[in-house]
DNA sequence: GGACGTTCTGTTTTT
DNA sequence: CAGAACGTCC
């Protein structure tokens, strides 16, 4: 093979190299698990740059912002800092950026707000309420789900309303008002100057469709398009790509049909299965050699996935060693399952000299993390939940950010709803309802009503009107400051001026203190952002900071905290895509949990669950350990389970049957909801919060994601602490139990009365 | 309008 | 079990 100036491709195998060098025309790279897909993408971009293509002309779409950042870093290492101009990121972040540039063409302000799913749901709830519909038949989450899938199929509210098929479906399903909700929802978003997640893709499609000049501009800009995880694209994304690539046809997609796991959010596996039909001149490359896993793991995964019908032909193989058999563990309960997994990690750490970071525990649902965390904590194994609920979704953070949002775009209805009466300023629900009605009647945003209050006769008391004027003036004063101050200066000023600071700091309960810490962290983020060097004369404003905050996940936010490095990672299988670990544990392999009960209604759904299982197993390099629990607490009561059907699909020679350690734990034999099984839950349910020494040492997941593991921030509430209750006076904490934030404290008050207080509500001051 | 106690009800994955 | 919704009191 010739070397010379392409020497930097030396670390690629022949097929990978071909895939890198085929730069012109449509290219499909079918990349089996562990076949070096990321490497190919990275080198492909580097190779394009090397050929003299301007970074500005290359668009690379990845599945997470983190993946994009890592790839960019690597390319900069290879090719130098010109690579900074690459367009890289998720579909959502890249096209949000594009939409901000072109927003005026769609009638949006360029500083439009991006609603996250919470904002969307609240808006939908408000709409169904205004329409007088019952929220039990019209559930916000399922309405949003349907709206989302319509947008992803590029079906507008108007098209939907005029489609006889949809209309009769809706009548049959007793949701005949759906199209009205869809219409109103979109209208309200528009009036608010806001887009939801799906709009970012939908509106991009509209923009490119209706503005040929804009389309041409971006076709010529993005001469080379690369798409990772193509199997997980939906119709909306497919159409954007089709429009952008139509002129130069340099589109390279990388994917693995066996790893398509996002059908629930509109991903269409047909996109990859039919790529060659869409682009007849496609060159196809197959990367079939797996460099990651042992023969045993590759064989097991292959055998399981072969049960699926819809597949592209490929044979993943490896020249790696045979390796260990997959281990199967059986736990009596979820607690027991956790204990065994933690014990097993402990053992591997000793026998294999393995570091914490070599382990991952994967599960199907977030709710499963609880029992695993507890078990890890008991063995002092440090862990971190990867992904998980975003920092930016926390209530106090969203409240503060709602002020930021209003300063940038006062028409933002959801931000307004959040803070118009927070901190309390006597503008209650009744008043807000009147404002909504006035806004709807006049077809304007709520802000316009607020700002021109005297033009509307709403029957508000002078006192309330006065308070509204104060509020409006405050927001206006913030808005005026946006262009001239850094994000940190203004953020800090708003935190103080809005009264949030005073409000939060009043609350001296442990939870209240952690809320203050979270805002502190938000402000630190603003500070970092504000100190980032920019081009001369450009101020890093709050508006710039807020641009893509709604699109960030926890992983994007994390600084490389040294202490976060060597930890066992816990995550859902979905968020494990693209990652690899020496030791992978897959917990909860039970029928109805994995495969999920919800997914058992059709063959396609079951096949997606099987692909999920495939993804999970192929994350492992050395060893996979699978476990299931015979009985598991769900929603407060024990349920008995059958082992997952996927276990039986693993070839017998790849798995060692039930290598579980028999550990005597307190079990009783009794009835479970689905009958006698021989095993059930532990006799004694260990409460999720325990007192060790005098300290409260455990808490629930929501709190853990951002808080130190030793929970020292809760140390304010020690047993024995002196507290003061606003009604009952001083007392002493006798015990704390239950789960944060619903934990209950028993307090002995000075008058001899013993009270149990729900900490979520009780205003306790710590006085000693 | 706010504080807090009680009742109800939900069951997947995420940009 | 845990959060949301509802209800009652000030």
């Amino acid at each position: 093979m010739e070397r010379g100036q392409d020497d930097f491709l030396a670390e690629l195998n022949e097929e990978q190299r071909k895939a890198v060098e085929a730069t012109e025309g449509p290219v499909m790279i079918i990349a089996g698990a562990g076949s070096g897909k990321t490497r190919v993408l990275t080198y492909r971009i580097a190779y394009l740059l090397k050929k003299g293509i301007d970074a500005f002309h290359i668009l690379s779409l990845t599945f997470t912002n983190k993946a994009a950042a890592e790839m960019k870093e690597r390319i900069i290492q290879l090719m130098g800092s010109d690579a900074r101009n690459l367009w890289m990121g998720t579909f959502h972040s890249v096209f949000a950026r594009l939409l901000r540039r072109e927003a005026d063409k769609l009638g949006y302000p360029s500083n439009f707000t991006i609603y996250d799913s919470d904002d969307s749901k609240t808006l939908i709830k408000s709409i169904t309420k205004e329409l007088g519909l019952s929220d039990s038949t019209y559930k916000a989450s399922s309405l949003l789900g349907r709206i989302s899938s319509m947008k992803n199929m590029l079906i507008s509210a108007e098209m939907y309303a005029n489609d006889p098929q949809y209309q009769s479906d809706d009548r049959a399903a007793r949701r005949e008002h759906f199209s009205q909700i869809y219409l109103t929802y979109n209208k309200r978003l528009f009036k608010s100057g806001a887009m939801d997640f799906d709009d970012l893709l939908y509106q991009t499609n509209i923009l490119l469709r209706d503005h040929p000049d804009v389309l041409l501009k971006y076709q010529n800009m993005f001469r080379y398009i690369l798409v990772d995880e193509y199997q997980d694209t939906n119709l909306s994304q497919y159409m954007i790509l089709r429009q952008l690539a139509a002129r130069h046809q340099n589109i390279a997609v990388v994917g693995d049909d066996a790893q398509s796991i996002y059908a629930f959010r509109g991903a269409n596996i047909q996109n990859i299965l039919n790529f060659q039909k869409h682009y007849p001149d496609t060159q196809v490359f197959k990367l079939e050699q797996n460099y990651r896993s042992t023969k045993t793991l590759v064989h097991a995964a292959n055998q399981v996935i072969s049960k699926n019908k819809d597949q592209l032909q490929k044979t993943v193989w490896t020249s790696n060693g045979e390796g260990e058999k997959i281990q199967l563990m059986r736990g009596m309960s979820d607690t027991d399952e956790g204990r065994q997994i933690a014990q097993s990690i402990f053992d591997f750490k000793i026998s294999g000299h393995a570091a914490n970071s070599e382990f991952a525990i994967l599960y199907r649902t977030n709710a499963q993390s609880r029992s695993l965390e507890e078990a890890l904590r008991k063995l002092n194994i440090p862990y971190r939940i990867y992904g998980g609920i975003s920092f930016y979704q926390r209530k106090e953070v969203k409240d503060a950010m709602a002020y930021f949002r209003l300063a940038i775009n006062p028409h933002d209805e959801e931000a307004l709803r959040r803070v118009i009466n927070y901190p309390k300023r006597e503008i209650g629900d009744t008043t807000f309802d009147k404002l909504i009605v006035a806004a709807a009647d006049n077809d304007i945003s709520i802000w316009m009503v607020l700002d021109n209050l005297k033009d509307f006769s709403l029957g508000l008391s002078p006192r309330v009107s006065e308070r509204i004027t104060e509020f409006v003036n405050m927001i206006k004063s913030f808005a005026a400051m946006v262009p001239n101050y850094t994000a940190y200066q203004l953020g800090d000023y708003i935190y103080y001026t809005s009264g949030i600071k005073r409000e939060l700091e009043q609350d001296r309960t442990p939870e209240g203190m952690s809320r203050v810490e979270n805002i502190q962290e938000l402000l630190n983020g603003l500070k970092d952002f504000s100190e980032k060097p920019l081009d001369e004369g450009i101020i890093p404003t709050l508006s710039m900071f807020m641009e893509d905050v709604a699109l960030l996940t926890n992983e994007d936010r994390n600084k490389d905290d040294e202490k976060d490095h060597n930890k066992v990672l816990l995550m859902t299988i979905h968020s494990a895509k693209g990652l690899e670990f020496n030791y992978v544990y897959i917990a909860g392999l039970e029928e109805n949990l994995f495969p999920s009960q919800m997914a058992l209604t059709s063959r396609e759904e079951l096949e997606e669950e099987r692909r999920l299982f495939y993804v999970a197993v192929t994350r492992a390099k050395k060893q996979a350990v699978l476990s299931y629990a015979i009985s598991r607490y769900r929603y407060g009561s024990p349920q008995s389970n059958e082992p997952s059907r996927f276990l039986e699909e693993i070839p017998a020679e790849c798995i060692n049957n039930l290598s579980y350690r028999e550990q005597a734990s307190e079990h009783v034999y009794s009835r479970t909801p689905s009958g006698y099984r021989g095993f059930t839950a532990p006799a004694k349910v260990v409460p999720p919060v325990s007192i060790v020494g005098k300290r409260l040492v455990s808490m629930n997941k929501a709190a853990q994601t951002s808080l130190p593991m030793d929970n020292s921030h809760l140390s304010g509430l020690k047993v024995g602490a002196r507290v003061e209750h606003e009604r009952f006076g001083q007392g002493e904490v006798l015990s704390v139990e239950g789960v944060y934030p619903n934990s209950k404290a028993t307090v002995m008050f000075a008058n001899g009365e013993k009270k149990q207080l729900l900490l979520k509500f009780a205003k306790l001051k710590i006085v000693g």
Side-chain angles (χ1 to χ4, degrees):
Chain A
M1 207 177 289
E2 53 171 324
R3 287 288 144 89
Q5 66 163 9
D6 288 349
D7 220 346
F8 85 118
L9 296 184
E11 52 172 295
L12 302 181
N13 73 24
E14 201 180 331
E15 195 67 13
Q16 290 174 333
R17 192 184 176 112
K18 281 193 214 156
V20 164
E21 289 172 341
T23 58
E24 308 303 305
V27 168
M28 175 163 73
I29 302 166
I30 303 296
S35 63
K37 175 178 72 123
T38 308
R39 175 178 292 181
V40 168
L41 269 170
T42 311
Y43 275 98
R44 208 183 141 88
I45 296 171
Y47 187 78
L48 284 167
L49 293 171
K50 190 153 191 143
K51 276 182 69 178
I53 312 289
D54 196 330
F56 201 60
H57 286 315
I58 301 173
L59 168 64
S60 170
L61 297 162
T62 54
F63 207 69
T64 62
N65 288 313
K66 194 177 180 218
E70 285 170 4
M71 207 185 289
K72 203 164 188 171
E73 198 49 48
R74 179 86 182 97
I75 295 170
I76 290 172
Q77 274 175 24
L78 286 170
M79 303 303 300
S81 59
D82 280 357
R84 283 190 201 284
N85 292 329
L86 288 164
W87 282 74
M88 285 184 97
T90 60
F91 273 89
H92 290 86
S93 65
V94 165
F95 293 116
R97 214 169 123 196
L98 189 151
L99 282 169
R100 287 196 194 279
R101 295 177 159 204
E102 312 291 341
D104 55 319
K105 308 207 169 47
L106 295 166
Y108 277 90
S110 74
N111 58 10
F112 61 82
T113 308
I114 299 172
Y115 275 9
D116 66 19
S117 343
D118 270 352
D119 298 323
S120 296
K121 266 182 219 158
T122 316
L123 176 54
I124 291 177
K125 256 185 221 159
S126 169
I127 292 170
T128 49
K129 197 175 142 204
E130 290 154 32
L131 294 174
L133 303 170
S134 112
D135 54 4
S136 50
T137 44
Y138 288 92
K139 289 203 182 75
S141 55
S142 55
L143 293 168
L144 180 60
R146 192 165 172 79
I147 290 175
S148 168
S149 59
M150 288 305 143
K151 286 187 180 174
N152 286 327
M153 290 191 291
L154 300 179
I155 295 167
S156 69
E158 291 75 17
M159 283 157 73
Y160 188 96
N162 293 325
D163 185 308
Q165 185 62 49
Y166 284 133
Q167 293 309 308
S168 73
D169 286 355
D170 280 352
R171 274 191 299 277
R174 300 178 159 278
R175 40 149 206 255
E176 54 270 51
H177 296 288
F178 174 78
S179 47
Q180 196 184 353
I181 295 170
Y182 188 11
L183 277 163
T184 316
Y185 171 74
N186 278 350
K187 194 166 150 190
R188 290 277 271 280
L189 279 170
F190 186 73
K191 289 272 170 264
S192 300
M195 297 200 195
D196 67 11
F197 283 140
D198 305 302
D199 278 337
L200 297 175
L201 306 175
Y202 180 85
Q203 300 292 354
T204 302
N205 265 296
I206 301 301
L207 175 74
L208 300 178
R209 188 195 67 190
D210 294 348
H211 299 269
D213 52 324
V214 176
L215 176 62
L216 186 64
K217 177 167 137 199
Y218 288 103
Q219 283 174 335
N220 284 332
M221 188 141 142
F222 304 138
R223 288 183 196 202
Y224 291 87
I225 301 174
L226 294 92
V227 189
D228 193 11
E229 307 285 4
Y230 189 67
Q231 76 280 358
D232 284 320
T233 53
N234 58 37
L235 178 74
S236 187
Q237 293 165 324
Y238 164 76
M239 286 301 294
I240 292 175
L241 295 172
R242 198 165 107 170
Q243 296 191 73
L244 287 176
R247 191 172 167 83
H248 296 283
Q249 298 269 320
N250 293 324
I251 176 168
V253 303
V254 185
D256 178 6
D257 56 300
Q259 296 187 60
S260 162
I261 53 175
Y262 280 97
F264 71 89
R265 70 176 203 215
N268 185 358
I269 195 169
Q270 299 304 325
N271 285 347
I272 194 163
L273 298 176
N274 293 330
F275 188 79
Q276 294 181 77
K277 278 185 207 150
H278 301 145
Y279 296 91
D281 299 328
T282 297
Q283 291 173 267
V284 180
F285 301 95
K286 284 187 187 175
L287 308 179
E288 298 180 306
Q289 181 174 0
N290 174 306
Y291 293 95
R292 181 186 293 154
S293 314
T294 64
K295 275 200 174 63
T296 304
L297 291 164
V298 169
H299 181 56
N302 279 347
Q303 287 303 111
V304 172
I305 202 69
S306 70
K307 304 281 192 291
N308 278 0
K309 289 213 177 70
D310 283 336
Q311 285 193 81
L312 288 171
Q313 266 313 306
K314 71 167 177 306
T315 319
V316 177
W317 60 280
T318 185
S319 61
N320 292 344
E322 205 68 40
E324 297 295 318
K325 286 186 173 185
I326 292 172
Q327 260 186 48
L328 179 59
M329 304 196 302
R330 177 176 63 183
M332 299 300 179
S333 64
D334 45 2
T335 321
D336 191 35
E337 176 187 50
R339 178 162 46 224
Q340 291 194 40
I341 289 178
Q343 186 61 51
S344 165
I345 291 178
F346 192 87
D347 294 350
F348 272 128
K349 277 174 67 171
I350 291 171
S351 67
H353 299 291
N356 293 317
S357 55
E358 294 177 46
F359 297 89
I361 309 177
L362 311 182
Y363 36 78
R364 180 67 229 279
T365 72
N366 284 309
Q368 285 167 260
S369 72
R370 178 74 85 72
S371 50
L372 298 166
E373 291 175 63
E374 244 185 275
L376 291 169
R377 233 179 279 122
K378 280 192 185 136
L379 293 191
N380 281 321
I381 300 173
Y383 66 87
R384 180 163 80 89
I385 294 186
Y386 186 93
I389 211 180
S390 167
F391 173 77
Y392 299 107
Q393 319 266 100
R394 309 178 82 91
K395 184 193 173 299
E396 61 276 16
V397 176
K398 281 206 82 171
D399 287 340
M401 291 203 312
Y403 278 100
F404 302 170
R405 282 163 57 173
L406 283 178
I408 295 159
N409 168 20
H411 300 288
D412 180 342
E413 174 177 337
E414 291 315 305
L416 190 64
R417 189 195 307 277
R418 277 193 99 85
V419 297
I420 192 169
N421 201 27
Y422 176 83
K424 302 273 179 286
R425 50 174 74 85
E426 297 173 286
I427 310 173
D429 293 346
T430 331
T431 307
F432 197 73
D433 287 347
K434 286 181 194 162
L435 294 170
I436 289 182
V437 172
D441 286 350
N442 295 284
D443 203 23
I444 52 178
S445 72
I446 298 176
W447 174 257
M448 306 270 272
V449 179
L450 290 177
D451 196 18
N452 301 289
L453 206 56
K454 52 196 170 316
D455 301 343
F456 303 89
S457 42
L458 302 175
L460 300 175
S461 69
R463 189 185 168 87
V464 170
S465 301
E466 173 64 18
R467 301 302 236 129
I468 289 179
T469 313
E470 284 167 24
F471 179 75
V472 167
N473 289 337
M474 176 173 72
I475 298 298
K476 279 183 174 169
S477 72
F478 295 157
M481 291 169 74
V482 172
N484 306 318
Y485 291 85
T486 67
Y488 177 67
Q489 290 168 331
L490 183 53
D492 194 50
Y493 177 77
I494 292 179
Y495 178 41
Y496 179 81
T497 314
S498 62
I500 301 182
K501 187 171 200 265
R502 195 175 341 124
E503 179 81 11
L504 287 179
E505 285 179 353
Q506 249 173 30
D507 184 353
R508 294 293 311 282
T509 63
E511 301 82 50
M513 279 148 56
S514 90
R515 280 192 281 271
V516 173
E517 282 169 27
N518 285 333
I519 301 287
Q520 238 5 286
E521 203 180 326
L522 174 67
L523 291 176
N524 287 340
L526 287 177
K527 200 168 191 171
D528 289 347
F529 178 82
S530 302
E531 285 163 3
K532 231 175 25 187
L534 287 179
D535 289 342
E536 252 175 84
I538 297 187
I539 302 173
T541 62
L542 192 59
S543 178
M544 289 156 73
F545 178 85
M546 293 298 287
E547 268 178 18
D548 52 8
V549 159
L551 302 174
L552 295 183
T553 64
N554 261 351
E555 296 313 311
D556 302 322
R557 189 178 59 94
N558 275 341
K559 306 273 177 297
D560 331 278
D561 245 344
E562 280 297 320
K563 49 184 203 301
D564 269 355
H565 276 327
N566 193 21
K567 287 185 176 174
V568 172
L569 287 181
L570 274 67
M571 68 188 93
T572 63
I573 300 169
H574 282 88
S575 39
K577 199 168 67 163
L579 306 177
E580 58 177 30
F581 304 90
N582 280 335
Y583 302 90
V584 169
Y585 291 77
I586 309 172
L589 275 162
E590 295 134 37
E591 272 307 280
N592 297 330
L593 180 60
F594 187 19
S596 156
Q597 192 164 27
M598 326 288 290
L600 293 177
T601 55
S602 70
R603 194 199 86 208
E604 285 74 17
E605 285 176 319
L606 179 62
E607 293 202 345
E608 176 149 319
E609 295 287 302
R610 192 177 278 114
R611 290 191 294 268
L612 211 44
F613 182 70
Y614 177 86
V615 169
V617 172
T618 54
R619 294 313 95 194
K621 295 161 88 169
K622 281 192 186 163
Q623 171 88 58
V625 181
L626 315 185
S627 81
Y628 68 95
I630 285 161
S631 163
R632 177 179 299 277
Y633 268 83
R634 284 190 95 182
Y635 312 108
S637 53
Q639 325 234 314
S640 58
N641 311 301
E642 299 289 344
S644 166
R645 68 185 72 190
F646 298 145
L647 292 174
E648 289 162 32
E649 297 175 0
I650 297 173
E653 70 272 20
C654 296
I655 188 162
N656 99 1
N657 231 0
L658 285 189
S659 68
Y660 84 106
R661 277 160 258 266
E662 202 118 15
Q663 291 207 354
S665 48
E666 309 148 62
H667 286 103
V668 287
Y669 290 80
S670 72
R671 278 187 166 280
T672 67
S674 48
Y676 182 76
R677 290 256 163 225
F679 301 99
T680 98
K684 197 173 67 184
V685 181
V686 186
V689 166
S690 49
I691 308 282
V692 172
K694 285 197 160 189
R695 266 231 184 130
L696 183 64
V697 293
S698 62
M699 61 197 321
N700 79 346
K701 198 178 58 194
Q704 268 156 13
T705 46
S706 78
L707 297 168
M709 182 123 20
D710 69 6
N711 299 335
S712 51
H713 72 290
L714 278 186
S715 59
L717 203 72
K718 288 174 186 158
V719 172
R722 310 247 352 128
V723 294
E724 186 178 306
H725 187 278
E726 57 181 16
R727 276 223 301 271
F728 309 135
Q730 293 218 347
E732 182 182 336
V733 177
L734 296 182
S735 67
V736 186
E737 59 202 50
V739 177
Y740 172 94
N742 282 323
S743 27
K744 287 174 186 153
T746 311
V747 181
M748 173 73 84
F749 285 99
N751 60 8
E753 261 192 284
K754 220 194 282 183
K755 294 253 184 210
Q756 204 189 41
L757 304 163
L758 193 56
L759 291 182
K760 183 158 75 172
F761 296 125
K763 288 246 164 132
L764 275 185
K765 271 195 202 129
I766 297 153
V767 290

